[in-house]
Amino acid sequence: MKAKVDPQASTAVLQALPQPIIVVGEDHSITFVNYAAEAFFGASLSVLARQKLDDLIAFGSPIIALVETVAQRRAPMTEYRVRVGSSRFGDERIADVFASPLSDSDGRIALLIQERTMADKIDRQMVSRGAARSVTGLASMLAHEIKNPLSGIRGAAQLLEQSVPVDEIPLARLIREETDRIVDLIDRVEVFGDDRPLDREAINIHVVLDRVKLLARNGVARGITFSEEYDPSLPPVWGNRDQLIQIFLNLVKNASEALERTQKPEIKFSTAFRPGIRISVTGVSERISLPLEIVIEDNGPGVPPDILPFLFDPFVTTKTNGSGLGLALVAKIVGDHGGVIDCDSRPGRTRFRILLPVANPAQVTPSEEVMAK
């Protein structure tokens, strides 16, 4: 005797899944999408239902051929690492697509999309952290030996400034200033080797962002319009307040510098709760959930595509006189908080997205819990 299937329960299960799901008919018309698919394509069911899959997916995508093949064979198939999206519904993203016939009685095909972009970026970030550790291990070993002779060079340059002819003073001053610059660079690299435990507490991330905006408006981002789109019910993050401020202030500073030649420059802060992102961390048996999403977005010229995959590596920079350590330090601090950071960029829109874990209920005092709501 077959068990009866409750259609409402089946729909509820599909809606609860974090992966986008699309159901298409024989003519490729879209008959159903779950909430995750609406978020993925940036459109509601009512809008998507007026489209065909051919309109939704970029021209030439193997997804169309996948649907046709599944319809003919009446058997599930998978395409790995295909481009999903269109100019109408947002940027193209890399995903694995699983296609399966719903039943033998009709031609409907169900598509499940597993985005690869975040997984690839997390993998890349782990490589970047490894590179940063290698650089800082070498820097920590050499810093003491380098700073000692530099101190002697600086002292000698100061003495030369007092004794050389007037026309040679600029040269002695140049030696001193360049020595100071090298020492400053070594100091910045040494920060990466600081593995001391963080002093953490449950923090309302909106309080941190408001502080960053206040500092930026009166400093690095004067004349730039700020906007925000906050989720007011966001739970607190378990972190270090000063370091979180440093993360976002650094991102806002970078955005401000990128907006110097942009008409009507704007920086947007947004927060959201995104369940479904989980990563494995060495030394922890359970996978860590990263549901807190914080996005810093600007309308500047964007990051060059050839640099984007390596943006968080040490000594990678788009600035003429930059050291390439600012974003590497941001990535380190985010990693120390158990989170990840990624960047999507195109001309006119650059988005830095940070995903962080929430504070455990035991870590939140009643007053902090009220503040976070």
Side-chain angles (χ1 to χ4, degrees), residues 127-141 189 192-193 314-315:
V127 173
S128 297
R129 290 178 193 172
R133 281 193 293 270
S134 299
V135 170
T136 55
L138 178 62
S140 298
M141 181 179 65
V189 173
F192 289 91
F315 307 115

Side-chain angles (χ1 to χ4, degrees), residues 48-62:
L48 294 173
R50 297 196 295 268
Q51 311 294 322
K52 288 192 175 183
L53 187 64
D54 310 62
D55 302 320
L56 184 63
I57 302 300
F59 178 77
S61 171

